[in-house]
Short mmCIF file of all heavy atoms in Angstrom, two decimals:
data_model
loop_
_atom_site.label_atom_id
_atom_site.label_comp_id
_atom_site.label_asym_id
_atom_site.label_seq_id
_atom_site.Cartn_x
_atom_site.Cartn_y
_atom_site.Cartn_z
N ARG A 212 -3.19 -5.58 -17.37
CA ARG A 212 -4.22 -5.94 -18.35
C ARG A 212 -5.61 -5.89 -17.74
O ARG A 212 -6.59 -5.56 -18.42
CB ARG A 212 -3.93 -7.33 -18.92
CG ARG A 212 -2.71 -7.36 -19.84
CD ARG A 212 -2.63 -8.69 -20.60
NE ARG A 212 -1.50 -8.71 -21.49
CZ ARG A 212 -1.47 -8.14 -22.71
NH1 ARG A 212 -2.54 -7.50 -23.15
NH2 ARG A 212 -0.39 -8.22 -23.45
N HIS A 213 -5.71 -6.20 -16.46
CA HIS A 213 -7.01 -6.13 -15.78
C HIS A 213 -7.54 -4.69 -15.80
O HIS A 213 -8.73 -4.47 -16.07
CB HIS A 213 -6.86 -6.62 -14.34
CG HIS A 213 -8.15 -6.73 -13.59
ND1 HIS A 213 -9.05 -7.75 -13.79
CD2 HIS A 213 -8.69 -5.93 -12.63
CE1 HIS A 213 -10.10 -7.58 -13.00
NE2 HIS A 213 -9.90 -6.49 -12.27
N MET A 214 -6.67 -3.74 -15.54
CA MET A 214 -7.11 -2.34 -15.55
C MET A 214 -7.41 -1.88 -16.98
O MET A 214 -8.33 -1.10 -17.20
CB MET A 214 -6.07 -1.46 -14.86
CG MET A 214 -5.99 -1.75 -13.36
SD MET A 214 -5.21 -0.46 -12.40
CE MET A 214 -3.54 -0.60 -12.99
N GLN A 215 -6.63 -2.35 -17.93
CA GLN A 215 -6.93 -2.04 -19.32
C GLN A 215 -8.29 -2.60 -19.73
O GLN A 215 -9.07 -1.93 -20.42
CB GLN A 215 -5.85 -2.63 -20.24
CG GLN A 215 -4.57 -1.82 -20.31
CD GLN A 215 -3.62 -2.37 -21.37
OE1 GLN A 215 -3.53 -3.58 -21.57
NE2 GLN A 215 -2.92 -1.47 -22.05
N GLN A 216 -8.58 -3.82 -19.28
CA GLN A 216 -9.83 -4.47 -19.65
C GLN A 216 -11.04 -3.64 -19.23
O GLN A 216 -12.04 -3.57 -19.96
CB GLN A 216 -9.90 -5.85 -18.99
CG GLN A 216 -11.19 -6.62 -19.28
CD GLN A 216 -11.24 -7.96 -18.57
OE1 GLN A 216 -10.23 -8.42 -18.01
NE2 GLN A 216 -12.41 -8.61 -18.57
N TYR A 217 -10.92 -3.00 -18.05
CA TYR A 217 -12.03 -2.22 -17.53
C TYR A 217 -11.83 -0.72 -17.75
O TYR A 217 -12.50 0.11 -17.11
CB TYR A 217 -12.28 -2.56 -16.06
CG TYR A 217 -12.72 -3.99 -15.89
CD1 TYR A 217 -11.84 -4.95 -15.38
CD2 TYR A 217 -13.98 -4.40 -16.30
CE1 TYR A 217 -12.23 -6.27 -15.24
CE2 TYR A 217 -14.38 -5.74 -16.16
CZ TYR A 217 -13.50 -6.66 -15.65
OH TYR A 217 -13.89 -7.98 -15.53
N GLU A 218 -10.90 -0.38 -18.65
CA GLU A 218 -10.69 1.00 -19.13
C GLU A 218 -10.33 1.97 -18.01
O GLU A 218 -10.76 3.12 -18.00
CB GLU A 218 -11.92 1.49 -19.91
CG GLU A 218 -12.23 0.63 -21.12
CD GLU A 218 -13.43 1.13 -21.92
OE1 GLU A 218 -14.26 1.85 -21.33
OE2 GLU A 218 -13.52 0.81 -23.12
N VAL A 219 -9.54 1.48 -17.07
CA VAL A 219 -9.01 2.36 -16.02
C VAL A 219 -7.70 2.95 -16.51
O VAL A 219 -6.76 2.22 -16.84
CB VAL A 219 -8.77 1.58 -14.71
CG1 VAL A 219 -8.06 2.46 -13.68
CG2 VAL A 219 -10.10 1.07 -14.15
N GLU A 220 -7.65 4.28 -16.59
CA GLU A 220 -6.43 4.98 -16.98
C GLU A 220 -5.61 5.28 -15.74
O GLU A 220 -6.15 5.70 -14.71
CB GLU A 220 -6.78 6.30 -17.70
CG GLU A 220 -7.61 6.13 -18.96
CD GLU A 220 -6.79 5.59 -20.12
OE1 GLU A 220 -5.53 5.69 -20.06
OE2 GLU A 220 -7.39 5.06 -21.07
N TYR A 221 -4.31 5.10 -15.83
CA TYR A 221 -3.43 5.35 -14.68
C TYR A 221 -3.55 6.79 -14.19
O TYR A 221 -3.48 7.05 -12.99
CB TYR A 221 -1.98 5.03 -15.04
CG TYR A 221 -1.66 3.55 -15.02
CD1 TYR A 221 -2.15 2.69 -16.01
CD2 TYR A 221 -0.86 2.99 -14.02
CE1 TYR A 221 -1.87 1.34 -15.99
CE2 TYR A 221 -0.56 1.63 -14.00
CZ TYR A 221 -1.08 0.81 -15.00
OH TYR A 221 -0.79 -0.53 -14.98
N LEU A 222 -3.75 7.71 -15.12
CA LEU A 222 -3.84 9.12 -14.73
C LEU A 222 -5.03 9.37 -13.81
O LEU A 222 -5.01 10.29 -13.00
CB LEU A 222 -3.96 9.98 -15.99
CG LEU A 222 -3.48 11.43 -15.90
CD1 LEU A 222 -2.01 11.51 -15.50
CD2 LEU A 222 -3.70 12.15 -17.23
N GLN A 223 -6.05 8.51 -13.90
CA GLN A 223 -7.25 8.72 -13.10
C GLN A 223 -7.04 8.47 -11.61
O GLN A 223 -7.80 8.97 -10.79
CB GLN A 223 -8.38 7.83 -13.64
CG GLN A 223 -8.86 8.22 -15.02
CD GLN A 223 -9.78 7.18 -15.63
OE1 GLN A 223 -9.57 5.98 -15.51
NE2 GLN A 223 -10.83 7.64 -16.30
N PHE A 224 -6.05 7.67 -11.28
CA PHE A 224 -5.78 7.43 -9.86
C PHE A 224 -4.37 7.83 -9.45
O PHE A 224 -4.14 8.28 -8.33
CB PHE A 224 -6.03 5.96 -9.48
CG PHE A 224 -5.11 4.98 -10.14
CD1 PHE A 224 -3.91 4.61 -9.55
CD2 PHE A 224 -5.44 4.41 -11.36
CE1 PHE A 224 -3.05 3.71 -10.16
CE2 PHE A 224 -4.60 3.49 -11.98
CZ PHE A 224 -3.39 3.16 -11.38
N ALA A 225 -3.39 7.70 -10.36
CA ALA A 225 -1.99 7.93 -9.98
C ALA A 225 -1.58 9.39 -10.09
O ALA A 225 -0.53 9.76 -9.55
CB ALA A 225 -1.06 7.07 -10.84
N PHE A 226 -2.40 10.21 -10.73
CA PHE A 226 -2.10 11.65 -10.73
C PHE A 226 -1.96 12.15 -9.30
O PHE A 226 -1.02 12.86 -8.96
CB PHE A 226 -3.20 12.44 -11.46
CG PHE A 226 -2.95 13.92 -11.50
CD1 PHE A 226 -2.26 14.50 -12.55
CD2 PHE A 226 -3.40 14.75 -10.48
CE1 PHE A 226 -2.02 15.86 -12.59
CE2 PHE A 226 -3.16 16.11 -10.50
CZ PHE A 226 -2.47 16.67 -11.56
N ARG A 227 -2.90 11.76 -8.45
CA ARG A 227 -2.86 12.20 -7.05
C ARG A 227 -1.65 11.62 -6.33
O ARG A 227 -1.06 12.28 -5.47
CB ARG A 227 -4.16 11.79 -6.35
CG ARG A 227 -4.29 12.37 -4.95
CD ARG A 227 -5.68 12.14 -4.39
NE ARG A 227 -5.87 10.76 -3.96
CZ ARG A 227 -7.03 10.29 -3.48
NH1 ARG A 227 -8.09 11.09 -3.42
NH2 ARG A 227 -7.14 9.03 -3.09
N TRP A 228 -1.27 10.39 -6.67
CA TRP A 228 -0.11 9.77 -6.02
C TRP A 228 1.15 10.59 -6.28
O TRP A 228 2.02 10.68 -5.41
CB TRP A 228 0.09 8.36 -6.55
CG TRP A 228 -1.01 7.40 -6.23
CD1 TRP A 228 -2.24 7.69 -5.68
CD2 TRP A 228 -1.00 5.99 -6.44
NE1 TRP A 228 -2.98 6.55 -5.56
CE2 TRP A 228 -2.25 5.49 -6.01
CE3 TRP A 228 -0.05 5.10 -6.95
CZ2 TRP A 228 -2.58 4.14 -6.08
CZ3 TRP A 228 -0.38 3.74 -7.01
CH2 TRP A 228 -1.62 3.28 -6.58
N MET A 229 1.26 11.13 -7.48
CA MET A 229 2.43 11.93 -7.84
C MET A 229 2.30 13.36 -7.33
O MET A 229 3.25 13.95 -6.81
CB MET A 229 2.62 11.93 -9.36
CG MET A 229 2.75 10.55 -9.98
SD MET A 229 4.18 9.64 -9.35
CE MET A 229 3.98 8.08 -10.24
N ASN A 230 1.11 13.92 -7.48
CA ASN A 230 0.89 15.32 -7.11
C ASN A 230 1.04 15.53 -5.61
O ASN A 230 1.56 16.57 -5.18
CB ASN A 230 -0.52 15.74 -7.55
CG ASN A 230 -0.74 17.24 -7.46
OD1 ASN A 230 -0.04 18.03 -8.09
ND2 ASN A 230 -1.73 17.64 -6.69
N ASN A 231 0.61 14.55 -4.82
CA ASN A 231 0.62 14.68 -3.36
C ASN A 231 1.63 13.74 -2.69
O ASN A 231 1.64 13.62 -1.47
CB ASN A 231 -0.76 14.39 -2.79
CG ASN A 231 -1.84 15.31 -3.33
OD1 ASN A 231 -2.32 15.10 -4.44
ND2 ASN A 231 -2.19 16.32 -2.59
N LEU A 232 2.48 13.10 -3.50
CA LEU A 232 3.52 12.21 -2.97
C LEU A 232 2.96 11.17 -2.00
O LEU A 232 3.52 10.89 -0.95
CB LEU A 232 4.63 13.03 -2.29
CG LEU A 232 5.42 13.95 -3.23
CD1 LEU A 232 6.39 14.82 -2.43
CD2 LEU A 232 6.18 13.15 -4.29
N LEU A 233 1.79 10.63 -2.37
CA LEU A 233 1.10 9.58 -1.60
C LEU A 233 0.55 10.06 -0.25
O LEU A 233 0.09 9.24 0.56
CB LEU A 233 1.99 8.35 -1.38
CG LEU A 233 2.24 7.47 -2.61
CD1 LEU A 233 3.21 6.34 -2.27
CD2 LEU A 233 0.94 6.90 -3.18
N MET A 234 0.57 11.36 -0.03
CA MET A 234 0.09 11.85 1.28
C MET A 234 -1.40 11.62 1.48
O MET A 234 -1.86 11.48 2.61
CB MET A 234 0.41 13.33 1.43
CG MET A 234 1.88 13.59 1.69
SD MET A 234 2.16 15.23 2.37
CE MET A 234 1.24 15.15 3.89
N ARG A 235 -2.17 11.59 0.39
CA ARG A 235 -3.61 11.35 0.53
C ARG A 235 -3.93 9.87 0.66
O ARG A 235 -5.08 9.51 0.96
CB ARG A 235 -4.35 11.93 -0.69
CG ARG A 235 -4.22 13.44 -0.87
CD ARG A 235 -5.03 14.21 0.13
NE ARG A 235 -4.86 15.65 -0.02
CZ ARG A 235 -5.62 16.44 -0.78
NH1 ARG A 235 -6.59 15.91 -1.50
NH2 ARG A 235 -5.40 17.73 -0.84
N GLU A 236 -2.94 9.03 0.42
CA GLU A 236 -3.17 7.59 0.45
C GLU A 236 -2.71 6.96 1.77
O GLU A 236 -3.11 5.83 2.07
CB GLU A 236 -2.42 6.89 -0.70
CG GLU A 236 -2.36 7.63 -2.02
CD GLU A 236 -3.69 8.17 -2.50
OE1 GLU A 236 -4.70 7.44 -2.39
OE2 GLU A 236 -3.73 9.32 -2.99
N LEU A 237 -1.88 7.65 2.53
CA LEU A 237 -1.27 7.07 3.73
C LEU A 237 -1.54 7.95 4.95
O LEU A 237 -1.65 9.17 4.83
CB LEU A 237 0.24 6.94 3.55
CG LEU A 237 0.74 6.04 2.42
CD1 LEU A 237 2.25 6.19 2.26
CD2 LEU A 237 0.38 4.59 2.68
N PRO A 238 -1.59 7.35 6.16
CA PRO A 238 -1.64 8.16 7.38
C PRO A 238 -0.39 9.03 7.48
O PRO A 238 0.68 8.67 6.96
CB PRO A 238 -1.68 7.11 8.50
CG PRO A 238 -2.10 5.84 7.85
CD PRO A 238 -1.61 5.90 6.43
#
Side-chain angles (χ1 to χ4, degrees):
R212 289 192 179 279
H213 186 76
M214 292 198 292
Q215 281 187 323
Q216 179 182 350
Y217 296 106
E218 300 182 337
V219 173
E220 300 286 341
Y221 281 71
L222 205 59
Q223 293 170 320
F224 64 90
F226 180 91
R227 188 170 76 182
W228 295 10
M229 303 299 178
N230 192 59
N231 301 80
L232 295 174
L233 288 177
M234 286 198 61
R235 298 286 178 91
E236 323 311 318
L237 298 172

